[in-house]
Amino acid sequence: MTFICHLSLLSSGRLLLAILVLDWLLAGTTHATTHEPGFSAPITNVTAPLGREAILACTVHNLSTYKVAWLRVDTQTILTIHTHVISRSRRVGVTHSDHRTWFLHIRELRETDRGWYMCQINTDPMKSQLGYLDVVVPPDILDRGTSTDQTVREGASISLTCAATGSPHPQITWRREHSKSISVADGIQVSSLDGPVLNVSRVNRQHAGAYLCIASNGVPPTVSKRIMLTVEFPPVITIRNQLVGAALGTDLVLECETEAYPKPVSYWSRETGEIVPIGGGLEPQKIDGAYRSILRLAIRRVTNTDYGTYKCVSKNSLGDTEGTIKLYPMPLPPMENRNAIQRMNIMADKSSESTPFGAQDFRLQDYNGAISKDQFCYVFSLSLLILSKIITSLM
């Protein structure tokens, strides 16, 4: 009665395991034949991605009534015996092909499944061989150890770092967004750099933009992180036309370019310090980019009070600067040419010719039709004569 009660306390799993192990051990002594079983080929090592299924194959011959078992070597754990799964893990399975090839299945692979596995035949002495399972893991970029968006003052140095995990260990490559080149020491430009750290010495505004930290190890997918580098610097003003001539009643546009970060406050003023008001005949216009702004001042129907010096002023928290444009009077063309020439504009976005007084770019616009060859020659000669007189008076 005591023996029966003791058996009732055993779990069905333990009892089944004990019976299978006993049957497996006794089979080698009670069913031996003259042609002993053996292995037909070594176990092929298997590499499989994380989360997938791995299958290890063990091929035998002359198995007869002997049995095949799979074990985990590092833990000495019996996984399967014959067609029975001993492991408690639902991820482990066993199949066979005509009792010749025995397959160990491990589903939903984890990194802990990586290691050596043993296939055994319960002969006396026992026969066994080993196979290795490698679990590869796609790369992953870690928040800890990887740079976030950076803001740096122009002229300083900075290091961007990128930390990644994966198996095999990932390789880190740096690239710039939109295929821009990376500036390294001595002004050398490269398309990419390898390594977990990107050093940028003496940062300037050309270094600003998005940098991509790319991690790859041959296991898809490759991953990347975008790191934005912002460069701070005081305003810089560029004026293409510092000396501008205009006739009374004509229209023109004064223009200056500014570069700065943080975003500057920019405006036009006269030589007296008076800020040019918005509206009326004088209309400031501003077009913003990432660092570059174009400040345009349109003057409609020039009057005598419009002549003089104009200042383009730009300020931010790091400093301020200004540039000047002098607007001077020019005579109107003869009456016979006024129908052909309706206005003279300053086109700052076109190529300019340099003079001792700044870059000048005059464009004649015909709004009533094409100018004849004789008219064009006359106007061109007149412009050269006027410019010559101005230069002579200033010398």
Side-chain angles (χ1 to χ4, degrees), residues 29-187:
T29 58
T30 58
H31 301 286
T33 63
T34 55
H35 300 287
E36 286 220 349
F39 298 106
S40 302
I43 298 174
T44 301
N45 295 333
V46 173
T47 299
L50 185 74
R52 300 293 182 85
E53 180 182 11
I55 302 175
L56 292 165
C58 179
T59 304
V60 300
H61 55 263
N62 298 330
L63 187 60
S64 185
T65 57
Y66 289 92
K67 292 181 173 57
V68 173
W70 281 100
L71 295 83
R72 178 73 185 262
V73 174
D74 56 353
T75 61
Q76 292 295 306
T77 303
I78 300 176
L79 301 176
T80 68
I81 296 177
H82 198 53
T83 60
H84 303 285
V85 176
I86 308 303
S87 172
R88 292 183 179 181
S89 174
R90 61 177 181 79
R91 300 184 299 113
V92 175
V94 62
T95 59
H96 64 88
S97 175
D98 296 329
H99 291 80
R100 293 180 180 274
T101 304
W102 294 82
F103 301 100
L104 174 67
H105 300 257
I106 305 177
R107 295 176 292 273
E108 300 173 18
L109 280 174
R110 303 171 183 173
E111 286 195 72
T112 53
D113 296 324
R114 185 185 295 115
W116 291 96
Y117 290 81
M118 178 183 291
C119 175
Q120 286 186 352
I121 304 175
N122 62 333
T123 54
D124 188 16
M126 193 174 298
K127 295 181 179 180
S128 64
Q129 61 177 355
L130 301 177
Y132 189 79
L133 171 60
D134 187 18
V135 180
V136 293
V137 183
D140 183 34
I141 296 178
L142 305 175
D143 290 334
R144 184 176 182 180
T146 299
S147 297
T148 56
D149 292 347
Q150 303 287 312
T151 299
V152 62
R153 184 77 178 264
E154 191 170 42
S157 298
I158 193 173
S159 293
L160 302 180
T161 60
C162 187
T165 60
S167 182
H169 190 73
Q171 176 181 341
I172 303 298
T173 301
W174 293 93
R175 295 183 185 275
R176 289 194 68 179
E177 201 169 58
H178 306 307
S179 301
K180 292 183 179 179
S181 58
I182 298 175
S183 298
V184 294
D186 301 320

Side-chain angles (χ1 to χ4, degrees), residues 6 8 14 24 42 105 152-153 169 188 191 203 278 333 335 348 359 370 383 393:
H6 181 68
S8 65
R14 291 183 178 180
W24 181 57
H105 300 257
V152 62
R153 184 77 178 264
H169 190 73
I188 299 174
S191 59
V203 172
I278 297 176
M335 288 296 296
S383 298
S393 65

Side-chain angles (χ1 to χ4, degrees), residues 359-373:
Q360 306 267 348
D361 186 3
F362 299 95
R363 185 185 212 193
L364 301 176
Q365 295 189 353
D366 178 10
Y367 290 88
N368 292 331
I371 301 175
S372 69
K373 181 178 180 181

